[in-house]
Amino acid sequence: MGIIKNCKRIVIKIGTSTLTYQNGSLNLRRIELLTRAVSDFKNAGHEVVMVSSGAVGAGFARLNMNAYPQTLEEKQACAAVGQGQLIKIYDSFFSVYGHTVAQILMTKDVVDDKTRLEHIKNTFFTLLNMGCVPVVNENDSVSCEGIEFGGNDTLSAYVAIACEADIIINLSDIDGLYNKDPRKFDDAVLIDRVEKIDDTIRSYAGGAGTARGTGGMIAKINAASIANDYGIPMLIVNGENPCVLYDILDGKHVGTYFAARKD
Ligand code: GLU
């Protein structure tokens, strides 16, 4: 039986390495496939909140910089340029399929403060009632520490909690969690279900992600752990081909499923 059959509200997280080419430019083919699949989720009766990275990468490409930004100031400036590009592309693709995007840019103090959290929850619920697809990113240009959430994997967990989602689908650049690094070991085995995140599971995660993304597997496991504690499961799948979302919609088993504690 498909894992999303009973999931009304879905958070879909998509990372920079999936959304952009190595030079930072937006991978339009992927974004188009992604928006079409998300539109089909909507048409099938699901509510979708997207957590999308790619602002810094898109800004870097648009500004024709020689090297990927390293300083906080450069990253914040790139995000200011790129976020507009990103939401423009989402808006134009989603419009083709008759769906409306709503940009939400978050900072950590929003989830740390009870009153502000209440406001953002109300905004999510209102937008979802209106039939919109909220597209969330960290407000990188004003975040005090740059990436306060520790990256968009963590952000996706807080967003899922705030909007009371039933599941997070994390579109990654790898098929899921392996018991060792599949890029180094041919005999690495994909783990299809994690009941409990413990030291063994964490030890499978290895190091950081790609040069353009921030996450890596450990960030995804940490995000799954935060969400699982709130009763929200997380599925990690490979977003290289966004049509994987159709497999999920069709009830096929793909990726690694982190079961929530209250499952
Ligand atoms: N917020 C960053 C961006 O949009 C990405 C953070 C991340 O990849 O985790 O570029």
Side-chain angles (χ1 to χ4, degrees):
M1 199 174 65
I3 52 156
I4 64 148
K5 195 165 173 277
N6 298 320
C7 295
K8 171 83 178 158
R9 190 167 295 162
I10 300 167
V11 169
I12 297 180
K13 187 264 169 184
I14 178 142
T16 300
S17 54
T18 308
L19 288 169
T20 62
Y21 291 101
Q22 278 206 334
N23 62 9
S25 294
L26 294 172
N27 186 327
L28 298 176
R29 182 173 53 176
R30 261 191 212 151
I31 298 176
E32 188 170 16
L33 286 171
L34 171 74
T35 50
R36 198 183 67 177
V38 170
S39 297
D40 268 320
F41 270 66
K42 293 273 300 164
N43 294 352
H46 298 283
E47 293 173 341
V48 180
V49 175
M50 289 181 61
V51 174
S52 174
S53 304
V56 177
F60 155 69
R62 192 61 189 267
L63 290 163
N64 286 318
M65 292 168 72
N66 296 328
Y68 201 76
Q70 296 301 325
T71 66
L72 181 57
E73 291 82 354
E74 280 181 339
K75 283 184 188 164
Q76 292 187 304
C78 284
V81 173
Q83 182 63 31
Q85 305 298 308
L86 203 56
I87 208 73
K88 187 174 75 179
I89 295 293
Y90 278 128
D91 185 46
S92 64
F93 283 140
F94 272 117
S95 298
V96 172
Y97 303 112
H99 294 290
T100 303
V101 297
Q103 174 178 257
I104 296 197
L105 299 177
M106 285 179 61
T107 42
K108 184 80 163 50
D109 51 322
V110 174
V111 295
D112 291 340
D113 180 275
K114 224 174 132 219
T115 312
R116 299 191 70 188
L117 182 60
E118 214 45 52
H119 282 294
I120 193 83
K121 274 172 169 267
N122 291 337
T123 306
F124 275 126
F125 297 150
T126 307
L127 285 169
L128 291 168
N129 275 337
M130 289 171 164
C132 298
V133 180
V135 178
V136 188
N137 196 357
E138 181 165 352
N139 195 350
D140 294 316
S141 301
V142 304
S143 288
C144 297
E145 303 298 328
I147 294 170
E148 293 175 350
F149 284 97
N152 279 8
D153 291 311
T154 315
L155 175 63
S156 71
Y158 286 114
V159 167
I161 294 163
C163 71
E164 297 176 9
D166 299 305
I167 190 168
I168 302 170
I169 299 174
N170 188 311
L171 294 175
S172 175
D173 57 359
I174 189 164
D175 295 341
L177 177 67
Y178 284 83
N179 65 344
K180 48 183 134 171
D181 189 343
R183 291 171 254 224
K184 290 190 196 137
F185 301 96
D186 289 343
D187 61 343
V189 176
L190 181 69
I191 295 163
D192 64 349
R193 190 177 170 100
V194 174
E195 290 302 334
K196 187 174 182 299
I197 296 170
D198 54 19
D199 289 347
T200 312
I201 292 296
R202 286 182 195 281
S203 74
Y204 294 159
T210 63
R212 286 168 295 131
T214 50
M217 190 50 75
I218 194 69
K220 293 175 198 345
I221 291 177
N222 288 338
S225 171
I226 295 168
N228 286 175
D229 279 347
Y230 279 80
I232 304 168
M234 184 167 120
L235 179 70
I236 300 179
V237 294
N238 197 331
E240 192 180 332
N241 181 359
C243 290
V244 70
L245 288 170
Y246 287 111
D247 290 337
I248 299 169
L249 200 54
D250 293 342
K252 293 186 190 146
H253 187 90
V254 282
T256 303
Y257 181 78
F258 291 80
R261 302 255 197 295
K262 295 172 199 158
D263 253 2

